[in-house]
Amino acid sequence: MNSITIESPSKVPAEAQRSPGYWANVLSRLRADKVAVGAGIVVLLLLGLALFGPWIAPADPYQSSMLSRLKPIGTDGYPLGTDELGRDMLSRLIVGARLSLFMGLTPVLCAFVIGSAIGILAGYAGGWVNTAIMRTIDVFYAFPSVLLAIALSGALGAGIFNSLLSLTIVFVPQIARVAEAVTAQAKGRDYVEAARASGANAFTIVRVHVLGNVLGPIFVYATSLIAVSLILASGLSFLGLGVKPPEPEWGLMLNTLRTAIYVQPWVAALPGAMIFITSIAFNLLSDGLRSAMDNKA
Amino acid sequence: MSDIDDRGGPAQPLLTIRGLTKHFALKGGLFGQGAGTVRAVDGVDFSVMKGETLGVVGESGCGKSTTARLLMQLITPSAGEVVFDGRTVGGRELSLKDFHRQVQMVFQDSYASLNPRLTIEDSIAFGPMVHGVPRREALGRAHDLLARVGLAPARFAGRYPHELSGGQRQRINIARALALQPRLVILDEAVSALDKSVEAQVLNLLMDLKAEFGLTYVFISHDLQVVRYLSDRVMVMYLGQVAELGPAEALFTDPLHPYTKALLSSMPAIDPDHRTEQAPLAGDPPNPINPPPGCRFHPRCALAAPVCSQRAPQPVPARTLHAAACLVHEPGSGHPMAAPQSRAA
């Protein structure tokens, strides 16, 4: 067994045997999860629609036609029928993906950045800093998210930017709470103690030892909020607080088509179906991600 | 690097602890106060000489680990000071960062004390990089240390903690502690979680490293055999206080404090003729929230006299050859077994 003799100190760590990193392991476990893979494919397709929608759409989503209003699904030239102004539903659903996903993802992304920063600060600082931040957060947390989103949007005024802003404000407290909890947990671990014992300052410890162990769980929680955000954003548009007509956006389309629910129920249900599929896909992907990351090894 | 050189010469203790105290306030009540305090460590004095191994023993809950964290300045003491090689720690004399370059700690839980997201080499190189060593050099040092603790760097440097066994991980924790080239290493139950064969290997490694790098150890353990094997001097703690402090051989062969005697008789004897069915110590240690009045050990003590519940014994002084905090060994204390007050002095 010559192989276990200890060789002389090597200055260049080049020939070192590498193990796959944590995220490589998560990815390989995620790939074994059929539901998550399916959900991931749906999410990718939706993102593809959002990116390339205008080029994929068979017709102009803004072109209305008084003669072909509320055609049923399967009509010649209108595979998914037409809406109350005679616009091609398929094209509007495809082009609408961009705005709908933008309205759903942006607030979660912004809230992820802001909420993580606030939560990690509160969790790592502890003491009165933690109390001050978390009790302030609790004030927002006390409101039901739908109510808070509508109240903020109403106060700020209708419009895309304002509804993005209000949704971000809705999600920041939720993400901050999760971030605070996981950071406080990580702070108590021995490896953070060991890092403190090596004389590192708080910033370095957070950067090297806390972030890597904390961002994963926060990210998973944030992805589970995407579905909620999509529905809330659609709801705001439905109430006339978000996107304005004639922009194609699923929530707004659901609103304008609701008068036609007795005439063409299947066509009227299509935007709702898109919202449903999207939120289910994001939720399943998030679930898969969580169980893939839960594994200790 | 003059900061970390030997300053006071071999006669000056490397570490002197004076009146170290840590009280944890219990939360409770409407405004989170008034629920009492846990006296985890209550007025501990001792010193660690250069190059020695000081063993610290006691039951769980006696304040061993709190003492370790206080020494390491991971928690701030309620009172008392830590003096490192003649300089008070945390003040103007010796900054915390310079202190931490010279004093390192190995934790009990080998898995929890390694960041699961960092490779072994990054974990070891972290400390030197904090102190301004360039990454390449720090990694080189990490590889040297891996080889020194018996793990081939080519095989282990790029691995993650979960891929290794408990013994391997504890070797890595030792390598990490040594990466800053410290003078004092605090080993807080560092081998307690390992099985016996691995424990022996790691203990031998610790002894070799001590000789090679001229280290000083504070070895905290509940395992009396290991402490006896490793230590030059031993400190026995009971309920946050020092019960007895003395040279290892003297303390194990001729213990002064009744608590030490009870502890030693709780060691399972290998010879069946010396085994005893009788439990040497009855009951659990009292609650450190409301320690008993007088001597804290008197409710469980075989030698307890009425005076023991009224009068606290003198604490063990830091500079002593062998002493116990017990009224029996205090002349004129009023204990029937104590020597009368010497009139000559």
Side-chain angles (χ1 to χ4, degrees), chain B residues 184-221:
Chain B
L184 174 67
V185 180
I186 298 167
L187 302 151
D188 183 9
E189 303 271 8
V191 292
S192 307
L194 306 175
D195 56 59
K196 279 292 163 199
S197 58
V198 180
E199 179 179 343
Q201 291 172 14
V202 174
L203 284 176
N204 285 331
L205 172 69
L206 285 171
M207 298 297 267
D208 293 348
L209 292 170
K210 182 178 184 238
E212 185 177 337
F213 296 110
L215 299 169
T216 302
Y217 285 157
V218 173
F219 186 84
I220 297 170
S221 180

Side-chain angles (χ1 to χ4, degrees), chain A residues 119-120 122-124 130 134 175-185 218:
Chain A
I120 291 171
Y124 194 80
N130 179 301
M134 294 321 287
I175 291 178
R177 276 183 76 115
V178 172
E180 191 260 348
V182 289
T183 307
Q185 205 178 22
I218 305 174

Side-chain angles (χ1 to χ4, degrees), chain A residues 2-288:
Chain A
N2 282 328
S3 58
I4 36 171
T5 51
I6 295 153
E7 51 259 68
S8 58
S10 50
K11 281 286 167 257
V12 193
E15 82 290 359
Q17 198 174 320
R18 295 271 140 198
S19 296
Y22 169 75
W23 289 106
N25 281 327
V26 168
L27 207 66
S28 74
R29 269 195 301 274
L30 196 62
R31 235 180 265 141
D33 183 350
K34 286 197 182 94
V35 179
V37 169
I41 290 170
V42 173
V43 166
L44 281 181
L45 285 176
L46 287 165
L47 289 176
L49 283 188
L51 279 177
F52 306 112
W55 294 280
I56 300 170
D60 182 353
Y62 299 100
Q63 181 64 52
S64 54
S65 154
M66 281 303 136
L67 292 175
S68 48
R69 292 166 61 195
L70 290 173
K71 294 280 185 213
I73 293 171
T75 313
D76 243 5
Y78 304 107
L80 289 180
T82 58
D83 69 1
E84 76 287 352
L85 294 175
R87 295 173 294 197
D88 180 34
M89 274 305 280
L90 178 63
S91 304
R92 281 185 71 74
L93 287 175
I94 290 173
V95 175
R98 178 180 290 184
L99 205 51
S100 306
L101 285 182
F102 178 73
M103 297 282 294
L105 292 176
T106 316
V108 175
L109 204 67
C110 295
F112 174 65
V113 174
I114 301 168
S116 301
I118 294 175
I120 291 171
L121 175 70
Y124 194 80
W128 66 267
V129 178
N130 179 301
T131 309
I133 293 177
M134 294 321 287
R135 292 299 83 78
T136 313
I137 289 284
D138 282 350
V139 173
F140 287 90
Y141 202 69
F143 293 99
S145 43
V146 183
L147 193 69
L148 187 60
I150 293 171
L152 285 169
S153 277
L156 292 166
I160 293 180
F161 179 78
N162 283 348
S163 54
L164 290 180
L165 186 65
S166 62
L167 286 176
T168 304
I169 297 172
V170 167
F171 292 128
V172 163
Q174 306 183 11
I175 291 178
R177 276 183 76 115
V178 172
E180 191 260 348
V182 289
T183 307
Q185 205 178 22
K187 193 193 170 189
R189 297 269 158 77
D190 280 353
Y191 58 81
V192 173
E193 295 256 278
R196 292 210 294 134
S198 65
N201 60 33
F203 180 76
T204 312
I205 294 174
V206 168
R207 183 172 57 83
V208 177
H209 293 286
V210 176
L211 276 187
N213 290 289
V214 146
L215 281 184
I218 305 174
F219 180 74
V220 166
Y221 179 72
T223 53
S224 75
L225 287 178
I226 290 175
V228 183
S229 174
L230 266 167
I231 293 166
L232 280 181
S234 301
L236 288 180
S237 299
F238 180 88
L239 293 171
L241 290 168
V243 179
K244 291 276 177 222
E247 294 302 325
E249 198 271 344
W250 298 335
L252 183 65
M253 288 162 72
L254 201 60
N255 180 21
T256 53
L257 273 168
R258 80 181 191 282
T259 49
I261 193 98
Y262 298 111
V263 188
Q264 286 296 352
W266 293 113
V267 174
L270 282 174
M274 290 303 288
I275 295 170
F276 175 75
I277 290 168
T278 313
S279 51
I280 284 285
F282 273 108
N283 261 351
L284 290 176
L285 185 61
S286 148
D287 277 358

